[in-house]
Amino acid sequence: MNASSRFDIRARFAAAALLLTMLSGCATFRSYDSELSSTINLAAAGNVGGAIKRLEGNNRFGSKDLLYYLELGELQRLDRRYDDSEKA
């Protein structure tokens, strides 16, 4: 076995390991669509407080991103909590 074929085998193994790692990580991603639809359904039914609790429950871990604060502000505005919505 020459050096070129050993390099080729190692490159293929590394690519396969990287692919498997990436694919297994996909299973841990959250489903934003299902989270958002449940929040919207609560708000549409008039349960804005429940929608805010659902939004907060879906974002318990880690730092919150811009989208979270935009959604929170809009829900607070729908609940006529204008001062809170401006802070969000």
Side-chain angles (χ1 to χ4, degrees), residues 6-74:
R6 277 186 280 178
F7 176 76
D8 188 44
I9 291 171
R10 287 182 184 167
R12 287 183 185 198
F13 179 75
L18 179 63
L19 181 63
L20 286 174
T21 302
M22 289 173 56
L23 289 175
S24 67
C26 291
T28 62
F29 288 125
R30 294 170 35 190
S31 173
Y32 177 74
D33 288 338
S34 66
E35 290 177 8
L36 181 62
S37 65
S38 66
T39 303
I40 288 174
N41 289 338
L42 285 168
N47 187 0
V48 179
I52 292 172
K53 287 180 183 178
R54 175 71 50 90
L55 176 67
E56 291 171 347
N58 289 338
N59 293 281
R60 292 177 294 192
F61 306 109
S63 62
K64 302 192 174 25
D65 59 2
L66 176 63
L67 187 56
Y68 165 81
Y69 290 108
L70 290 172
E71 291 172 358
L72 178 60
E74 182 61 23

